[in-house]
Amino acid sequence: TATAATATPLAGKKLLVTAGGTREALDPVRFLTNRSSGKMGYAVAAAAQQAGADVTLITAPTRLSAPSGVTVVPIESTQDLEQAVISRLPKADGVIMAAAVADFQPLHQAEQKIKKSADNDQLVLTLKKTPDILREVAQRKRVDQVVVGFAAETQDLLANAQKKLATKHLDLLVANDVSQAGIGFNGDNNQVTFLFKDGHRDQTPITSKRAIATALIEHVAKIFTEK
Ligand code: CTP
Ligand code: CA
């Protein structure tokens, strides 16, 4: 029936959803990470699953339990995430990159725990850039695949987001102002602007991450119908 069809607009679609903040090891007991809670990505995975998609949630460690019915792939580092996404890309219909991916990783990972030394009050870390997974996805993606990115910004939200939409060749970008207290990173609520490839934009009110995830999935379903 028409009702059943609209309730599961993503039936038959295989979606990869990434979530959480990646961890970049410094030594066997330490890592660098960020303030991402994973809530937005988990909400997206749940909304996609409810819309009928076959969801693989590729997730950095979080305090959250996975939504029922999704396949969970645990990862830690950006390199793990890259491998997990790129290896599954050929069989996927879409990718939603909600993970807060580290931009830099320690140049060297110490094999033993780093020790304090008596003659040095400072420790200087050298970091190197991580691979940009979305850029790689963009290079490999087929025209029938839908790719969604997020942008976390503390200034010039829309200008920076517009650049990411274009340079990462995304179908849709979810722009997140992470400078506002209580929304974005970590909180239960969020406010985002959806930026579409055709230039059109849509700002949500401040609302639950769940509601934003539902809106995002509706947009993704519509993009699939236009492919
Ligand atoms: N992303 C990625 N690989 C990275 C870094 C980011 O795939 N190494 C993805 C994120 O998951 C997100 C999008 O790219 O969907 C934008 O992330 P963001 O941190 O906002 O932008 P960057 O391109 O990393 O640029 P900057 O942090 O300098 O603003
Ligand atoms: Ca970044």
Side-chain angles (χ1 to χ4, degrees), residues 179-197:
S179 68
Q180 298 181 65
I183 64 168
F185 269 39
N186 242 316
D188 286 323
N189 292 332
N190 204 354
Q191 177 174 36
V192 303
T193 302
F194 294 112
L195 286 83
F196 299 87
K197 218 162 50 178

Side-chain angles (χ1 to χ4, degrees), residues 169-222:
H169 301 284
L170 305 173
D171 294 287
L172 171 59
L173 183 125
V174 186
N176 219 330
D177 181 347
V178 291
S179 68
Q180 298 181 65
I183 64 168
F185 269 39
N186 242 316
D188 286 323
N189 292 332
N190 204 354
Q191 177 174 36
V192 303
T193 302
F194 294 112
L195 286 83
F196 299 87
K197 218 162 50 178
D198 66 3
H200 124 254
R201 291 176 182 179
D202 176 13
Q203 186 184 42
T204 71
I206 296 177
T207 181
S208 66
K209 287 185 174 177
R210 199 192 147 88
I212 289 173
T214 303
L216 168 58
I217 290 304
E218 282 168 12
H219 289 310
V220 169
K222 182 153 180 284

Side-chain angles (χ1 to χ4, degrees), residues 100-203:
V101 184
D103 292 330
F104 296 94
Q105 65 187 94
L107 180 61
H108 301 293
Q109 190 178 324
E111 274 177 37
Q112 304 298 332
K113 186 186 162 204
I114 299 168
K115 302 294 284 179
K116 289 183 287 190
S117 72
D119 49 66
N120 204 336
D121 285 343
Q122 298 185 342
L123 171 67
V124 177
L125 292 177
T126 303
L127 305 179
K128 66 173 180 195
K129 250 193 201 152
T130 56
D132 189 321
I133 301 165
L134 266 186
R135 269 178 195 268
E136 274 180 74
V137 167
Q139 284 161 4
R140 292 157 189 260
K141 82 166 189 171
R142 302 186 306 266
V143 287
D144 61 300
Q145 290 174 314
V146 173
V147 180
V148 179
F150 278 67
E153 306 290 351
T154 56
Q155 57 181 355
D156 302 330
L157 177 71
L158 293 178
N160 283 325
Q162 186 63 44
K163 258 185 236 162
K164 286 176 190 171
L165 177 74
T167 58
K168 300 192 187 222
H169 301 284
L170 305 173
D171 294 287
L172 171 59
L173 183 125
V174 186
N176 219 330
D177 181 347
V178 291
S179 68
Q180 298 181 65
I183 64 168
F185 269 39
N186 242 316
D188 286 323
N189 292 332
N190 204 354
Q191 177 174 36
V192 303
T193 302
F194 294 112
L195 286 83
F196 299 87
K197 218 162 50 178
D198 66 3
H200 124 254
R201 291 176 182 179
D202 176 13
Q203 186 184 42

